[in-house]
């Protein structure tokens, strides 16, 4: 992948994350409440946010995935991100992850972003399977995965580690054929 695949929806622009987004990213990924079930510890400082930007840029450079900055049209800064990563081109599968600043929850914005992102992934990345690992107590994320047609496949025992302890995670996946059927 070379040119960044910008995507536009009714209310959002999904675009490349750059170092100029580090401060906005820190306010989201540094929020301990929001990050409770996300799968990693809250970011401690600006330097960590810049490192996260570099990680996202690297996915794109190495062709292992894409992370989009989610920007609300008419809003000056990034309000979240979503991505397709751990891309296995041979097996035509990858993993998704997403997060949205608390102020913007409950408006269907991430659902709008993921709908467009998945459409792009199935078509442009030739995916057959998109996986998500979700903490059993992460109710908003479970609802979102259900709404998008992801199927629950089982429990991955102690698959995650953050906050100083291991966490069980629910394995979800959306297959191309399920996606086409809905
Ligand atoms: C997961 C996360 C992105 C979900 O955000 P969200 O805003 O709840 O998700 P959605 O975009 O699907 O919005 C859902 C709500 O918007 C409402 N909605 C849907 N479409 C809408 C629309 N077009 N207009 C207005 N409201 C709408 C729905 O009724 C739903 O409300 P409900 O939850 O009361 O039923 C958010 O909780 C988050 O960032 N969590 C922290 C990070 C995280 O854990 N990520 C996942 C790791 S696996």
């Amino acid at each position: 992948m070379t040119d960044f695949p910008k995507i536009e929806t009714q209310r959002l622009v999904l675009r490349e994350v750059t170092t100029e987004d580090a401060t906005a990213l820190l306010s989201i990924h540094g929020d301990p409440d929001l990050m409770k079930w996300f799968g990693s510890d809250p970011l401690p400082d600006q330097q960590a946010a810049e490192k996260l930007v570099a990680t996202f840029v690297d996915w794109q450079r190495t062709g292992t995935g894409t992370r989009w900055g989610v920007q609300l049209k008419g809003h000056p800064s990034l309000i979240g991100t979503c991505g397709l990563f751990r891309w296995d081109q041979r097996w035509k599968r990858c993993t998704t992850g997403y997060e949205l600043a608390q102020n913007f929850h409950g408006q269907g914005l991430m659902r709008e972003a993921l709908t467009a992102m998945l459409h792009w992934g199935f078509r442009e990345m030739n995916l057959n399977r998109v996986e998500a690992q979700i903490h059993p107590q992460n109710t908003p994320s479970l609802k979102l995965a259900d709404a998008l047609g992801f199927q629950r496949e089982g429990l991955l025992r102690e698959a995650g580690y953050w906050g100083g302890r291991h966490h069980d995670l629910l394995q979800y996946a959306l297959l191309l054929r399920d996606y086409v059927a809905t």
Side-chain angles (χ1 to χ4, degrees), residues 154-181:
L155 185 72
L156 304 173
R157 294 180 308 142
E158 300 188 3
Y161 184 86
W162 68 92
R165 62 190 178 96
H166 299 283
H167 296 272
D168 293 346
L169 293 172
L170 288 164
Q171 174 70 45
Y172 272 71
L174 178 66
L175 299 186
L176 174 62
R177 63 168 184 268
D178 302 334
Y179 174 75
V180 168

Side-chain angles (χ1 to χ4, degrees), residues 32-112:
D33 248 16
L34 186 74
M35 299 306 285
K36 191 167 179 190
W37 307 123
F38 179 73
S40 53
D41 293 324
L43 293 184
D45 53 31
Q46 184 82 7
Q47 201 185 354
E50 284 168 13
K51 208 170 153 196
L52 186 60
V53 172
T55 302
F56 293 159
V57 169
D58 213 44
W59 290 356
Q60 188 68 23
R61 190 184 58 77
T62 56
T64 55
T66 298
R67 194 85 183 189
W68 287 267
V70 177
Q71 188 152 0
L72 192 58
K73 287 178 185 170
H75 190 271
S77 57
L78 174 151
I79 62 166
T81 78
C82 60
L84 294 167
F85 57 104
R86 293 193 201 123
W87 185 18
D88 186 324
Q89 297 194 37
R90 201 165 52 91
W91 284 11
K92 299 199 228 173
R93 73 169 198 200
C94 71
T95 303
T96 184
Y98 40 85
E99 77 290 332
L100 191 65
Q102 303 240 30
N103 290 351
F104 298 93
H105 289 184
Q107 302 174 45
L109 289 170
M110 191 49 80
R111 184 173 174 171
E112 185 171 318

